[in-house]
Amino acid sequence: MNRIPMLAAGHATVDFYQGAVPALVPFLVAERGYGYVAVSGVVLAATLLSSIVQPLFGVLTDRWRMPWLIPMSMVVAGAGVALGGVTDSYALVWLAMAVSGMGVAAYHPESARLARIASRGSHVRMSWFSMGGTLGFATAPVLVTPLLSVWGLAASPLLALPAVLGAVVTLPAVLALAGGGPAAKAAGPPPGRDDWPSFARLTLVIVFRSVVYVGLSTFVALYMGGGAAGAVALFVLFAGGAAGTVLGGRLATRWGRVRTMRLAYAAAVLAVAGVVLAPGATAYVFVAASSMALYVPFSLHVTLGQDFLPTRVGTASGVTLGLAVSVGGLTSPLVGAVAEATTLRAALACLVVFPVLAWLLARTLKEPAAVEAA
């Protein structure tokens, strides 16, 4: 039985809480009177701490198999967000969001290991697992904003329900894959030594990709005019990412992961430039193209990292899904500073450099010796 849909549902659940924290910000400002620095601290507690801790969980899962982390991490992520909305103390809000981020961090390395087993080497199946996270993050504002708009932060405990549901849905797959049955034995790590130089270059590729995507997701709504036009731009950005993730798995099956990654970043150079240069509504087309190009290699990064470090699959998953992906968030203030000093268009134009760097580094990578599978 294909366990990937259940694992993808779990991935959507836990990444829902990554998207839920920023969605809480307007309500923390309106109901609690938090300033920009305060709410930035709340978001930082959830995202940066999660990114830093995620590789540590990867190291732990390389040493010990901990499938119980998957349902538990969902519940922890949901409980943190739920409690953060109902406490009056800023310190407790900060702590609750940090706990939620820890739950997100605990989930990814072990789930990526089980997804690798369940996918049996299929890039298409792995792309569906990755797309679950993309959809979860994208749907968070759609669900959180209407709920809290009607009932306010007092309704935050209701946000724990997706965590419980996700844990229940995912548990059968976790038990089956962790139980040592045929599916669990079919797709162990490929034989060979860890290739740290290639993994380091891949990590830099992911960092460059993160800078571009986080920069676009932070400022594209403002660039397109804000309001409804900005909301449409964000929807297009998120939808393009979901489509690109699935497309990446299919292209990798035909062309190989490294070649697909190179082509995607070459396309991203033109697409991001188009966002800046295209007039009027035409820019929406390039927003979608940018998102698709940047997400085509998303799931491929994970499996490439695992194959570059075949004896440290958890560590590879923690870095490729966590630390390297979130580093781009640290550069957003720099993009904002350039925008204030010049124009937002000039700031977004600077982002074109990063897919160029990703493409150049990707050209130095070779396909690992692991056997390709459809």
Side-chain angles (χ1 to χ4, degrees), residues 67 138 174 204 248 265 292-293 300 324:
V174 172
L204 279 177
Y265 285 121
M292 288 185 67
L300 311 183

Side-chain angles (χ1 to χ4, degrees), residues 281-292:
T282 309
Y284 287 113
V285 176
F286 289 97
V287 170
S290 297
S291 183
M292 288 185 67

Side-chain angles (χ1 to χ4, degrees), residues 140-284:
V142 177
L143 297 178
V144 172
T145 301
L147 175 69
L148 301 189
S149 294
V150 175
W151 289 296
L153 288 172
S156 295
L158 295 175
L159 296 175
L161 295 178
V164 176
L165 180 61
V168 170
V169 169
T170 309
L171 190 58
V174 172
L175 293 175
L177 294 168
K185 298 174 182 178
R193 297 180 179 179
D194 294 331
D195 184 353
W196 284 102
S198 292
F199 182 77
R201 293 197 297 274
L202 175 66
T203 299
L204 279 177
V205 168
I206 300 170
V207 168
F208 293 144
R209 178 252 179 214
S210 175
V211 171
V212 184
Y213 188 77
V214 173
L216 283 176
S217 61
T218 302
F219 296 106
V220 73
L222 292 174
Y223 179 71
M224 296 303 293
V232 170
L234 284 176
F235 174 80
V236 169
L237 190 75
F238 292 144
T245 303
V246 176
L247 179 63
R250 297 189 179 279
L251 293 179
T253 299
R254 178 174 296 182
W255 294 337
R257 291 171 293 182
V258 172
R259 184 184 179 194
T260 298
M261 184 169 60
R262 292 171 183 166
L263 292 172
Y265 285 121
V269 175
L270 300 176
V272 176
V275 173
V276 178
L277 299 175
T282 309
Y284 287 113

Side-chain angles (χ1 to χ4, degrees), residues 1 3 6-7 61 64-71 109-120 170-187:
M1 180 180 178
R3 309 289 180 179
M6 285 183 277
L7 293 176
T61 58
W64 299 287
R65 295 293 176 250
M66 296 186 287
W68 51 268
L69 267 180
I70 294 177
E110 184 69 3
S111 69
R113 183 183 71 84
L114 292 187
R116 179 187 180 90
I117 294 171
S119 67
R120 297 176 180 267
T170 309
L171 190 58
V174 172
L175 293 175
L177 294 168
K185 298 174 182 178

